[in-house]
Amino acid sequence: MANISNASAHWEDTLENGFGTISAESSQIFTETPYNFKARSESQAHITTPEELLGAAHAACFSMAFSMVLGQKGLVAKSIDTTADVTFETTADGPAITKIKLTNHSVIPGISEADFQEIAKIVKESCPVSKALATVNIELEATLG
């Protein structure tokens, strides 16, 4: 059975002067959270961006997928911490997300550095968000603690 998660966005005015709100409809974890175009080019507190949300989704997906692959190998992580730096910039083809850098730090008893790096690479390619973003250059930095 498929699970469909829903989110919505509202926008008013021009791109440069406009503003909007986003809501996580399925979970209601956030509703009417503000976003705007200026926040995409200049970091602003209390204003989110599509890139920030994409990064959160990618980091969460990577961490869960990492746990799944570890479980398949009989391993359990004490902790899996992942961040995603999503680069938004203007290119010759217009505004674009040009890179996602995943940084992972995990504490996993009983795993070698070589096995850890192999699993990290497998997860980078196989987590559902990575697969959905296959056209974006996704970088990974993983450290075992």
Side-chain angles (χ1 to χ4, degrees):
M1 177 162 93
N3 180 40
I4 299 173
S5 296
N6 302 70
S8 65
H10 171 79
W11 187 261
E12 295 180 15
D13 209 343
T14 65
L15 178 63
E16 294 80 14
N17 298 320
F19 60 93
T21 58
I22 56 168
S23 298
E25 302 293 342
S26 301
S27 66
Q28 293 291 303
I29 197 77
F30 59 87
T31 58
E32 297 186 11
T33 300
Y35 76 109
N36 64 30
F37 185 75
K38 187 174 184 180
R40 292 180 101 172
S41 59
E42 303 170 17
S43 182
Q44 293 184 329
H46 309 294
I47 303 284
T48 194
T49 65
E51 293 74 32
E52 180 179 45
L53 298 169
L54 182 64
H58 202 177
C61 185
F62 181 91
S63 294
M64 288 191 297
F66 209 113
S67 178
M68 180 189 75
V69 173
L70 288 171
Q72 291 169 346
K73 297 187 178 293
L75 297 166
V76 177
K78 185 174 180 182
S79 63
I80 300 170
D81 295 294
T82 308
T83 59
D85 297 328
V86 181
T87 302
F88 175 83
E89 61 187 332
T90 301
T91 68
D93 295 328
I97 295 171
T98 57
K99 180 172 68 172
I100 298 173
K101 180 181 180 186
L102 296 172
T103 302
N104 172 269
H105 179 81
S106 295
V107 178
I108 308 164
I111 192 171
S112 70
E113 181 67 31
D115 288 345
F116 171 76
Q117 292 298 331
E118 179 184 333
I119 291 170
K121 287 178 186 173
I122 289 168
V123 173
K124 176 190 148 217
E125 301 299 326
S126 66
C127 95
V129 173
S130 288
K131 287 197 254 183
L133 300 171
T135 61
V136 176
N137 176 18
I138 301 170
E139 295 181 358
L140 169 67
E141 178 182 316
T143 58
L144 181 60

